[in-house]
Amino acid sequence: MDQWYRIDNTGKIFHAVSNATNSSVFRVSMILKRQVEPEILQKALDVVAVRFPTLTVRVRRGLFWDFMEHNDEQLLVKPETDYPCGPIHPKENNAYLIRVLYFKKRISVEVFHSLTDGAGAVEFLKTLVYQYLKELKKDLSEDGLVLTPEDNPHQEEIEDSFERYATSHAVKRPGRRAEKAYQIHGTPFNTPGINVVHGVMDGAALNAYAKERGTSLTAFLTSVLIQVIHDKKMTQDMTDGVVSVALPVNLRRQFPSVTLRNFFSVANISIPMDGYIHFNEIIDEVSGQLKENTDKENLQKGINRFVSFQRNFWMRVVPVFLKYPVMRFAFNQVGERAKTLTLTNLGNVKLPETMAPYIDRMEVILYPTRKSPINCGISTLNNHLTITFARSIEENDIIQSFFKELRVITGLDVTVYSNDWGNVYE
């Protein structure tokens, strides 16, 4: 009998909301110091795929919820020929909802968000690159920082940690509806796709600067982004409303878990924009909201609310073909309307010292959506902090202004580069 898995609580939402303008596919990449050898990468993937059973699955349609089952087909590495984070069509990918791509020195893993979150995808990528280097006969040690292919998957890695940590299943009415956030509008590319702009800088230096300003790195970068968007609003004579940045929060930090499935929450940081506001005020407000929203008690309430919603009697008995349209409507009217864009920071990714000489840096790309046509992903590896904007519209003034403002405020160098989809960054 084939192994099968329930889709986790968060994953169900991504199944419901994905469409042509919301692929729900994100990317994590490592840039190596030598050109990637595709045949060796395929050998490594063949070994690693078995180690991650909840990622190497196919999805089946059920009556009340979709479910996942083991996929016996080979997961193939492919050259990167298209824009990042495009929809994954199972029929073109041996029914997998994950793909492994290579381009020059880059190894990329793109994942449909129902399978895992950024933390889970990074673990897969780390193991894949580790095994790739092993196939190249490099002398490596894992130092407890890599899930080695030789180890059997642990039961805790495949658990739904939302269910584990929920302390109440009582259904509660949602709180007051979130205020509608200012949203970025623009001209969609003639040929639909995603333009990506990366900015690389000294991670330690930026972190030290943020601490000097009395805040965290994530809060500082969020503050710069809010200020830039506020300035854009002012040029359009829009002096009211809020700018809201959605920050995914890795729940594993407050609720110990090694799950490789989705286990995150979202903190919406909303700043009223009713005229001039000083940058220091933005930093103070962002820092305060982030601290409050990531308090363990508040995160616990979010876990309970989320699990109770999934366990609601009507959510369990209504067929999936009726359930998904309702969930899609709720996502667009509640989740999407309450944010201007999403900024996700995967943090400082740790690798064994023996791997570091072969790898330069990381990239994370978060797919844009119709109502959030610009999103931002951040990661740090080998002290290279990479800030990546993905956009589906021609206008790039917010991105340009962000990197310019970041240089001016911090005095630090930022190396900016882009793919060639749509209008190339100038």
Side-chain angles (χ1 to χ4, degrees), residues 78-121:
K78 297 180 179 180
E80 185 176 343
T81 58
D82 211 342
Y83 62 87
C85 303
I88 295 179
H89 303 291
K91 291 182 179 179
E92 300 171 6
N93 197 43
N94 282 350
Y96 286 99
L97 293 178
I98 181 173
R99 57 185 166 219
V100 176
L101 306 170
Y102 62 90
F103 178 74
K104 296 183 178 178
K105 299 178 182 179
R106 179 188 291 116
I107 295 175
S108 300
V109 175
E110 295 192 341
V111 187
F112 185 60
H113 216 325
S114 72
L115 300 185
T116 189
D117 54 20

Side-chain angles (χ1 to χ4, degrees), residues 202-220:
D202 185 317
L206 184 61
N207 193 46
Y209 180 85
K211 286 184 176 180
E212 286 178 10
R213 300 292 296 250
T215 190
S216 68
L217 188 148
T218 299
F220 173 74

Side-chain angles (χ1 to χ4, degrees), residues 99-243:
R99 57 185 166 219
V100 176
L101 306 170
Y102 62 90
F103 178 74
K104 296 183 178 178
K105 299 178 182 179
R106 179 188 291 116
I107 295 175
S108 300
V109 175
E110 295 192 341
V111 187
F112 185 60
H113 216 325
S114 72
L115 300 185
T116 189
D117 54 20
V122 167
E123 292 302 326
F124 182 90
L125 177 63
K126 285 164 60 177
T127 302
L128 178 61
V129 174
Y130 172 87
Q131 186 62 30
Y132 172 76
L133 294 173
K134 292 280 281 188
E135 298 286 347
L136 289 173
K137 309 303 181 186
K138 306 301 182 184
D139 185 17
L140 304 179
S141 59
E142 46 85 18
D143 297 341
L145 297 172
V146 175
L147 299 176
T148 55
E150 297 80 21
D151 293 335
N152 291 322
H154 301 293
Q155 187 63 33
E156 292 82 0
E157 294 172 5
I158 65 177
E159 74 172 11
D160 185 341
S161 290
F162 284 102
E163 295 283 352
R164 174 185 171 189
Y165 279 106
T167 57
S168 171
H169 300 144
V171 179
K172 298 180 180 179
R173 288 188 176 186
R176 186 169 57 87
R177 192 182 188 191
E179 183 177 354
K180 186 180 186 301
Y182 167 74
Q183 293 184 321
I184 299 166
H185 299 284
T187 309
F189 291 130
N190 284 331
T191 302
I194 296 175
N195 175 261
V196 179
V197 181
H198 306 276
V200 183
M201 57 194 309
D202 185 317
L206 184 61
N207 193 46
Y209 180 85
K211 286 184 176 180
E212 286 178 10
R213 300 292 296 250
T215 190
S216 68
L217 188 148
T218 299
F220 173 74
L221 292 175
T222 302
S223 300
V224 175
L225 191 52
I226 287 174
Q227 176 173 275
V228 166
I229 295 172
H230 171 246
D231 291 346
K232 174 181 171 61
K233 281 187 63 189
M234 296 294 286
T235 63
Q236 298 171 336
D237 293 326
M238 299 175 67
T239 57
D240 57 357
V242 300
V243 174

Side-chain angles (χ1 to χ4, degrees), residues 273-284:
M273 291 298 173
D274 51 2
Y276 176 77
I277 182 169
H278 194 277
F279 184 55
N280 285 338
E281 295 178 76
I282 297 177
I283 290 178
D284 290 344

